[in-house]
């Protein structure tokens, strides 16, 4: 884990309020790191519903497979997250570790193993010694309290340089409900119907089906529109938990995501996801610049997404931004290789609002000094207009620096 906080880290970090029905505790179990917390236990009240989306990697981690198998029951009482070891590519040993962890957690919390959800992050291919949770989880269950959201966010970090938290309060019926979220992720980031590791909690009384639909629709233009290096993790997990405790204060019980009473909540829920997703982009390994890529004028939104991701994942584009070089030729390259409809002679490109290319050539008003100054900003917006249709999309990424190579060159050391 890097010791230097990203220069793109948010300066305004919210205090997350307590959510009735959720208690948190963390510990140092010595999974891999020394001198820092590496285990999070979240304990939820009976009746808590759960939803989740996961990596589409064909080589998923053991915890991902565990959660997928338990999700259909729609109920949760405990979440166990460890950092330092992904428990991925660990064969039968990995499955045994998840089963043992769930058994230990279930005993500690006093629930069934099917109500325990798991997530792991860290090195791939190293066996996870689940016996390290024995005793630790029982103590955490006793110590768990409603307030340590920041500690929870810190416990799940790996190469992250800052904990990622977000919160929102919104009315549901006559009651105020809260949405809290935490996330981790800085490298191996290119979500595919999931995120890195992120956990959302609310006291709203939502059915698991309604929560699942909110999550599935909310992730597409938030976490799925972020890329750091184009690599989708084996462990991507996004879980949402709804305790339902706000029903006691007058919040209506919601069974369908299409319920009109859920409109304000759905927006706040998506805003929390978007906030966390942007923080992941801001904490890209070695990042010095947040990069927003907007593609307009595509034939469809899906086509715009593919082109935007092609630009966002281009090492040549990302290194040019790191060098503060408005190299639109590399953007043209990335657009052309995306395999989507494009017309060179209709293409226009701008950096931070300054048009550098128009109609397939350098813009006649191009001013090198003006553009060079704009490229020194901590946030860079690249806008591409294809001139073909009404399709539009937006993705977030970061620059690619020498620090990224340094972090990943000795990650297992």
């Amino acid at each position: 884990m890097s010791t230097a906080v990203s220069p793109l880290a948010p300066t305004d970090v919210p205090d997350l309020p307590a959510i009735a029905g959720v208690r948190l505790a963390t510990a140092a179990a010595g999974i891999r790191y020394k001198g820092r917390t590496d285990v999070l236990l979240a304990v939820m009240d009976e009746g808590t519903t759960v939803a989740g989306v996961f990596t589409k990697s064909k080589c998923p981690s053991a915890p991902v497979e565990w959660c997928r198998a338990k999700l259909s029951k729609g109920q949760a009482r405990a979440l166990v997250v460890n950092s330092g070891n992904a428990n991925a590519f660990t064969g039968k040993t990995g499955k045994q570790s998840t089963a043992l962890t769930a058994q230990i957690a279930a005993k500690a919390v006093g629930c069934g193993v099917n109500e325990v959800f798991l997530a792991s992050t860290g090195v791939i291919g190293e066996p996870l010694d689940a016996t390290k949770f024995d005793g630790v989880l029982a103590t955490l269950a006793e110590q768990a309290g409603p307030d340590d959201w920041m500690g929870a966010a810190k416990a799940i970090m790996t190469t992250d340089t800052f904990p990622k938290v977000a919160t929102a309060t919104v009315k549901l019926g006559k009651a105020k409900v809260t949405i809290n979220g935490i996330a981790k992720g800085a490298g191996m980031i290119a979500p595919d119907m999931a995120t890195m590791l992120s956990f959302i909690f609310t006291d709203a009384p939502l059915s698991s089906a309604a929560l699942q639909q909110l999550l599935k629709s909310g992730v597409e233009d938030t976490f799925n529109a972020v890329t750091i290096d184009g690599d989708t993790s084996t462990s991507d997990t996004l879980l949402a938990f709804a305790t339902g405790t706000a029903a006691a204060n007058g919040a209506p019980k919601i069974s369908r995501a299409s319920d009109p009473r859920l409109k304000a909540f759905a927006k706040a829920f998506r805003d929390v996801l978007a906030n966390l997703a942007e923080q992941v982009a801001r904490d890209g390994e070695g990042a010095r610049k947040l990069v927003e890529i907007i593609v307009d004028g595509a034939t469809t939104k899906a086509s715009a997404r593919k082109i935007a991701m092609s630009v966002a994942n281009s090492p040549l584009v990302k290194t040019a931004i790191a060098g503060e070089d408005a190299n639109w030729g590399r953007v043209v390259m990335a657009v052309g290789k995306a395999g989507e409809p494009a017309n060179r002679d209709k293409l226009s490109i701008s950096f931070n609002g300054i048009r550098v290319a128009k109609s397939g050539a350098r813009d006649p008003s191009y001013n090198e000094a003006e553009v060079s100054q704009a490229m020194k900003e901590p946030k860079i917006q690249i806008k591409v207009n294809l001139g073909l249709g009404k399709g539009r999309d937006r993705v977030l990424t970061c620059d690619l620096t020498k620090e990224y190579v340094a972090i990943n060159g000795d990650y297992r050391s």
Side-chain angles (χ1 to χ4, degrees), residues 274-304:
N275 188 317
L276 292 171
E278 180 170 320
Q279 289 186 57
V280 169
R282 287 180 175 274
D283 203 18
E285 289 172 341
R288 293 295 177 266
K289 295 185 185 293
L290 176 68
V291 184
E292 178 187 43
I293 298 164
I294 298 173
V295 174
D296 272 326
T299 53
T300 64
K301 174 180 169 63
S303 181

Short mmCIF file of all heavy atoms in Angstrom, two decimals, residues 274-304:
data_model
loop_
_atom_site.label_atom_id
_atom_site.label_comp_id
_atom_site.label_asym_id
_atom_site.label_seq_id
_atom_site.Cartn_x
_atom_site.Cartn_y
_atom_site.Cartn_z
N ALA A 274 -21.87 6.71 -7.89
CA ALA A 274 -21.07 7.57 -8.75
C ALA A 274 -19.94 8.23 -7.97
O ALA A 274 -18.81 8.36 -8.47
CB ALA A 274 -21.96 8.63 -9.40
N ASN A 275 -20.23 8.64 -6.76
CA ASN A 275 -19.21 9.26 -5.91
C ASN A 275 -18.07 8.29 -5.64
O ASN A 275 -16.89 8.63 -5.78
CB ASN A 275 -19.87 9.71 -4.60
CG ASN A 275 -18.96 10.53 -3.71
OD1 ASN A 275 -17.78 10.22 -3.54
ND2 ASN A 275 -19.50 11.57 -3.12
N LEU A 276 -18.41 7.07 -5.26
CA LEU A 276 -17.39 6.07 -4.97
C LEU A 276 -16.59 5.71 -6.22
O LEU A 276 -15.37 5.54 -6.17
CB LEU A 276 -18.04 4.82 -4.38
CG LEU A 276 -18.65 4.98 -2.98
CD1 LEU A 276 -19.45 3.73 -2.62
CD2 LEU A 276 -17.58 5.25 -1.93
N ALA A 277 -17.29 5.60 -7.35
CA ALA A 277 -16.60 5.26 -8.60
C ALA A 277 -15.58 6.33 -8.98
O ALA A 277 -14.46 6.02 -9.41
CB ALA A 277 -17.63 5.08 -9.73
N GLU A 278 -15.95 7.59 -8.80
CA GLU A 278 -15.00 8.66 -9.12
C GLU A 278 -13.80 8.63 -8.17
O GLU A 278 -12.67 8.88 -8.59
CB GLU A 278 -15.67 10.03 -9.06
CG GLU A 278 -14.70 11.16 -9.38
CD GLU A 278 -15.33 12.50 -9.58
OE1 GLU A 278 -16.41 12.57 -10.20
OE2 GLU A 278 -14.74 13.51 -9.11
N GLN A 279 -14.04 8.30 -6.91
CA GLN A 279 -12.92 8.21 -5.97
C GLN A 279 -11.94 7.10 -6.38
O GLN A 279 -10.73 7.25 -6.20
CB GLN A 279 -13.44 7.96 -4.56
CG GLN A 279 -14.15 9.15 -3.94
CD GLN A 279 -14.52 8.90 -2.50
OE1 GLN A 279 -13.67 8.62 -1.65
NE2 GLN A 279 -15.80 9.02 -2.19
N VAL A 280 -12.46 6.02 -6.93
CA VAL A 280 -11.58 4.96 -7.43
C VAL A 280 -10.71 5.50 -8.56
O VAL A 280 -9.49 5.25 -8.60
CB VAL A 280 -12.40 3.74 -7.90
CG1 VAL A 280 -11.53 2.75 -8.66
CG2 VAL A 280 -13.05 3.04 -6.70
N ALA A 281 -11.31 6.25 -9.48
CA ALA A 281 -10.53 6.83 -10.58
C ALA A 281 -9.50 7.82 -10.05
O ALA A 281 -8.38 7.90 -10.56
CB ALA A 281 -11.47 7.52 -11.58
N ARG A 282 -9.86 8.56 -9.03
CA ARG A 282 -8.93 9.53 -8.44
C ARG A 282 -7.76 8.85 -7.73
O ARG A 282 -6.71 9.46 -7.53
CB ARG A 282 -9.67 10.43 -7.44
CG ARG A 282 -10.59 11.44 -8.09
CD ARG A 282 -11.29 12.31 -7.06
NE ARG A 282 -12.08 13.35 -7.71
CZ ARG A 282 -11.60 14.53 -8.08
NH1 ARG A 282 -10.32 14.83 -7.84
NH2 ARG A 282 -12.36 15.42 -8.67
N ASP A 283 -7.95 7.59 -7.35
CA ASP A 283 -6.90 6.87 -6.62
C ASP A 283 -6.21 5.83 -7.49
O ASP A 283 -5.58 4.90 -6.99
CB ASP A 283 -7.49 6.20 -5.38
CG ASP A 283 -6.44 5.93 -4.32
OD1 ASP A 283 -5.35 6.54 -4.36
OD2 ASP A 283 -6.70 5.10 -3.42
N GLY A 284 -6.34 5.95 -8.82
CA GLY A 284 -5.63 5.03 -9.70
C GLY A 284 -4.16 4.97 -9.35
O GLY A 284 -3.54 6.00 -9.02
N GLU A 285 -3.60 3.80 -9.38
CA GLU A 285 -2.21 3.62 -8.93
C GLU A 285 -1.26 4.57 -9.66
O GLU A 285 -1.16 4.55 -10.88
CB GLU A 285 -1.79 2.17 -9.14
CG GLU A 285 -2.50 1.23 -8.17
CD GLU A 285 -2.27 -0.24 -8.45
OE1 GLU A 285 -1.87 -0.58 -9.58
OE2 GLU A 285 -2.51 -1.05 -7.55
N GLY A 286 -0.60 5.42 -8.88
CA GLY A 286 0.34 6.38 -9.44
C GLY A 286 -0.29 7.58 -10.12
O GLY A 286 0.42 8.41 -10.71
N ALA A 287 -1.61 7.72 -10.05
CA ALA A 287 -2.31 8.76 -10.80
C ALA A 287 -1.96 10.16 -10.32
O ALA A 287 -1.81 10.42 -9.12
CB ALA A 287 -3.82 8.55 -10.73
N ARG A 288 -1.85 11.06 -11.27
CA ARG A 288 -1.66 12.47 -10.98
C ARG A 288 -2.74 13.32 -11.65
O ARG A 288 -2.85 14.50 -11.38
CB ARG A 288 -0.28 12.93 -11.46
CG ARG A 288 0.88 12.30 -10.69
CD ARG A 288 0.87 12.75 -9.24
NE ARG A 288 1.92 12.13 -8.44
CZ ARG A 288 1.76 11.04 -7.72
NH1 ARG A 288 0.57 10.41 -7.72
NH2 ARG A 288 2.74 10.55 -7.00
N LYS A 289 -3.50 12.70 -12.53
CA LYS A 289 -4.57 13.43 -13.22
C LYS A 289 -5.83 12.57 -13.35
O LYS A 289 -5.74 11.39 -13.73
CB LYS A 289 -4.11 13.89 -14.61
CG LYS A 289 -2.96 14.92 -14.57
CD LYS A 289 -2.63 15.44 -15.94
CE LYS A 289 -1.41 16.37 -15.87
NZ LYS A 289 -1.72 17.63 -15.13
N LEU A 290 -6.96 13.14 -13.01
CA LEU A 290 -8.25 12.52 -13.27
C LEU A 290 -8.65 12.85 -14.70
O LEU A 290 -8.58 14.02 -15.11
CB LEU A 290 -9.30 13.05 -12.29
CG LEU A 290 -10.74 12.55 -12.49
CD1 LEU A 290 -10.83 11.07 -12.17
CD2 LEU A 290 -11.70 13.36 -11.62
N VAL A 291 -9.07 11.85 -15.46
CA VAL A 291 -9.37 12.05 -16.87
C VAL A 291 -10.82 11.68 -17.15
O VAL A 291 -11.24 10.55 -16.88
CB VAL A 291 -8.43 11.22 -17.77
CG1 VAL A 291 -8.69 11.53 -19.25
CG2 VAL A 291 -6.97 11.50 -17.42
N GLU A 292 -11.56 12.62 -17.69
CA GLU A 292 -12.94 12.39 -18.11
C GLU A 292 -12.98 12.34 -19.62
O GLU A 292 -12.49 13.26 -20.28
CB GLU A 292 -13.85 13.51 -17.59
CG GLU A 292 -15.30 13.36 -18.01
CD GLU A 292 -16.15 14.57 -17.62
OE1 GLU A 292 -15.67 15.72 -17.80
OE2 GLU A 292 -17.28 14.37 -17.14
N ILE A 293 -13.56 11.29 -20.16
CA ILE A 293 -13.64 11.14 -21.62
C ILE A 293 -15.11 11.13 -22.02
O ILE A 293 -15.89 10.29 -21.55
CB ILE A 293 -12.94 9.86 -22.09
CG1 ILE A 293 -11.45 9.93 -21.74
CG2 ILE A 293 -13.12 9.66 -23.59
CD1 ILE A 293 -10.74 8.63 -21.79
N ILE A 294 -15.48 12.07 -22.86
CA ILE A 294 -16.86 12.18 -23.34
C ILE A 294 -16.86 11.95 -24.84
O ILE A 294 -16.10 12.59 -25.58
CB ILE A 294 -17.45 13.57 -23.02
CG1 ILE A 294 -17.49 13.80 -21.50
CG2 ILE A 294 -18.85 13.71 -23.63
CD1 ILE A 294 -17.90 15.20 -21.12
N VAL A 295 -17.69 11.03 -25.27
CA VAL A 295 -17.84 10.76 -26.70
C VAL A 295 -19.25 11.16 -27.11
O VAL A 295 -20.24 10.65 -26.56
CB VAL A 295 -17.58 9.28 -27.03
CG1 VAL A 295 -17.88 9.00 -28.51
CG2 VAL A 295 -16.13 8.91 -26.71
N ASP A 296 -19.36 12.09 -28.03
CA ASP A 296 -20.63 12.55 -28.58
C ASP A 296 -20.72 12.17 -30.06
O ASP A 296 -19.70 11.90 -30.69
CB ASP A 296 -20.74 14.08 -28.49
CG ASP A 296 -21.32 14.54 -27.17
OD1 ASP A 296 -22.19 13.83 -26.63
OD2 ASP A 296 -20.91 15.61 -26.68
N GLY A 297 -21.95 12.19 -30.57
CA GLY A 297 -22.13 12.01 -32.00
C GLY A 297 -21.90 10.61 -32.50
O GLY A 297 -21.68 10.40 -33.70
N ALA A 298 -21.96 9.63 -31.60
CA ALA A 298 -21.81 8.23 -32.03
C ALA A 298 -23.14 7.72 -32.56
O ALA A 298 -24.19 8.33 -32.38
CB ALA A 298 -21.33 7.39 -30.86
N THR A 299 -23.10 6.56 -33.19
CA THR A 299 -24.34 6.00 -33.73
C THR A 299 -25.27 5.53 -32.62
O THR A 299 -26.49 5.60 -32.76
CB THR A 299 -24.03 4.82 -34.68
OG1 THR A 299 -23.20 3.87 -33.99
CG2 THR A 299 -23.32 5.32 -35.94
N THR A 300 -24.71 5.04 -31.50
CA THR A 300 -25.50 4.60 -30.36
C THR A 300 -24.71 4.89 -29.08
O THR A 300 -23.50 5.13 -29.12
CB THR A 300 -25.79 3.09 -30.40
OG1 THR A 300 -24.55 2.37 -30.31
CG2 THR A 300 -26.52 2.69 -31.68
N LYS A 301 -25.39 4.81 -27.94
CA LYS A 301 -24.72 4.96 -26.65
C LYS A 301 -23.71 3.82 -26.45
O LYS A 301 -22.59 4.05 -25.95
CB LYS A 301 -25.74 4.93 -25.51
CG LYS A 301 -25.12 4.94 -24.10
CD LYS A 301 -26.19 4.92 -23.03
CE LYS A 301 -25.62 4.66 -21.65
NZ LYS A 301 -24.70 5.71 -21.18
N ALA A 302 -24.08 2.62 -26.85
CA ALA A 302 -23.17 1.48 -26.69
C ALA A 302 -21.90 1.68 -27.51
O ALA A 302 -20.80 1.35 -27.06
CB ALA A 302 -23.87 0.18 -27.11
N SER A 303 -22.04 2.22 -28.71
CA SER A 303 -20.88 2.49 -29.54
C SER A 303 -20.01 3.57 -28.91
O SER A 303 -18.77 3.47 -28.89
CB SER A 303 -21.33 2.94 -30.94
OG SER A 303 -20.22 3.18 -31.77
N ALA A 304 -20.66 4.61 -28.34
CA ALA A 304 -19.91 5.66 -27.66
C ALA A 304 -19.13 5.10 -26.48
O ALA A 304 -17.99 5.52 -26.23
CB ALA A 304 -20.87 6.76 -27.21
#
